[in-house]
Amino acid sequence: MVQLDHPGASETALDRWRQAALAGIAVLTLWRVAILWFNRTELWVDEAQYWLWGQSFSFGAYSKPPLIGWLIGLVTRIAGDSTFGVRLAAPLFHGITAYVVLILASRLADRRAAALAALTYATMPAATLGSLLISTDTPMLLAIAVALLLQHRLAERSAAGQATLLGLAVGLGFLSKHAMIFTVAGMVAAAVASPSWRLARRDFLLALLVALAVAAPNLWWIATHGFVTLRHLAEAGGAGGWGLHPARALRFLAEQFAVMGPLAFAAFLLSFRGADPQMRGLRAMAAVVLAIVTCQALAGRALANWAVGFTVASSIIAAVWLIRHPRLAMVSLTLGLVVAIALPLLTVFGTGWRTGEGKLILARHLGRGEVSARAMDYARRQGVQVIAAHDRGLLAYLSWQARATDLRIVAAPHKGAARHHWDLVQPFASDASGPAALLLLQAQPPGCALGPNESWIAGPGFAEGQRITLTLTSPACLMEITRE
C-alpha cells in the first residue's frame, strides 16, 4: 500500500505540499479566466449550440443531455451574453475538479503524490483545452471526481446523506454527458476489484435510486422525441462503418498520450504492475472506461476525448508512480505547464498563424462571424426576418450572432430524420407566409429562388476559399428544393 501520512499531518492547513498544489491550481485557474477575456477565437459550433440550448431550460437536446445548456444559461445571465460568459464556467470547473482530485488523492496516497495528482490533472492537455472551450466533458469530469470521492468515503463508513450525494453526482454526470455510464461501469469494477471501493447494499440502492431520479427527465425527453439522441450516438459511433478496425483502436490509444500528457499516460500504463488494493480499485475504474471506448474505436469510431472520464482516476494513478521517479515527475509537470501557458496564448496571438500548407491553425474557430454578419445584413436589406440554412455550423453561429435581433434562424427543409437540433426544434414552417434568406455553403442558388443573389469566396477561417451564397426564396421554393 502507498504510505499515507498520519491523519493530523494530512489535514493541516500548513501542509506545504497541499499549499503548493492549491496555489498552483488557483494561479492556473486565474490565468485561464484572464486569458478568456482576451481570447480572439469565435465560439466553436458546439459552444454556440450549447448556448442556444441554454435559452430554454429543456430536459434534453438533439445530441447531448441538457446540463451544459443549463450551465451556460445560468452563467451568461450573470456574466453576460458574450464569448467570455459562455466559456467562463470551463476554467472554474476544471479548477474545482483539480481540488476534488487533491482531496481524493489525499485519501489514497501521501501528500506529495496527492499534490502531484492534482497538478497533473490541472495541467494535462485535456484540461487546458477544456478550459478554453466549454464542453460537456467539463461538468462531467467534476461529477466523476465527486462521485469517486463519495464512493471511497462510503466504502469506509456508511452514510445515507453521502449516498444521496453520490446518486446526485452520478445523475448530474449523466445529465452532462451520457458517457457517464462508462464511469458507472468503472465504479462497479472498482468495487469488485477492491473492498476499499465497495458500498453497503443500502448505500448502493439509495445512490442508484437518486441517480435514476435525476436522470429520469432526460430519459423521458429522449423517449418522447423518437430516441433521436440514441440514434445520433449510434451514427456518430458508426461513422466510417462498423467492423473490426485495429488501426483505429491503436490510434485512439495513441491519442491518449496527447489527452493526458505523454509521461503521465505512460506512467498510468506502467502503474498496472503494482498491487496496492486502493490503487487496484482505481486502476480498475480507469481501465474499464478506457477499454469500453477502445472497443468502440475497434468496432466503429471513437474520438480522442470520448474516454476522458478515465483521467480523473488516471491522474492519481500516474502521480503515485511518478512520485517515485522525481525527475520524470518534474519533466511531466513542466510539459503540462508549457502546454497550459502556450495553448491559451495561441487563442490570443495565433489567430493568424498558418501551418506549412498555408491553412490557419485555428481555422475551425474563425470565420463564421463574418459569414453570419453578411447573412444578417442581407436579410435586413431584403426586409425578411427569417434566415434558413442546412449546415449545422452556420445555423449555430447564426443563432448566436442574431441573439439581440428579431431575426429567426431556422433549418431549411429536409426529408428524413432530423440531422441536428434545428431540424428538431427550429425547422422552416411549410406554411410560412413570407420569403426567407437562404444561406448556402459551397452551392449555387436554386433555380426557383427569387433573388437577388449574393455570392463570395470566404475569407480566412473555417470555409476559406469556398463559395458561399445568399439568396431570397419563397416558402414554396424552399419546400421544392427539400434535401434528402
Side-chain angles (χ1 to χ4, degrees), residues 57 119 141 146 240 267 295 317 363 425 467:
F57 283 65
L119 292 174
L141 285 167
V146 172
C295 289
I317 297 165
V425 301
R467 180 166 296 280

Side-chain angles (χ1 to χ4, degrees), residues 389-390 395 411-414 417-427:
H390 289 281
L395 288 165
H414 165 73
R419 302 158 297 178
H420 43 60
H421 188 71
W422 287 263
D423 277 343
L424 192 66
V425 301
Q426 291 182 202

Side-chain angles (χ1 to χ4, degrees), residues 12 23-24 51 59 83-84 100 104 143 184 186 202 205 222 256 268 284 289 293 333 403 433 448 458:
T12 178
W51 169 84
F59 287 128
T83 301
F84 175 80
V100 178
L104 175 59
V184 173
R202 184 192 69 174
L205 291 175
I222 292 172
Q256 302 315 301
F268 163 71
V289 174
V293 186
L333 271 185
R403 63 191 181 279
S433 59
C448 61

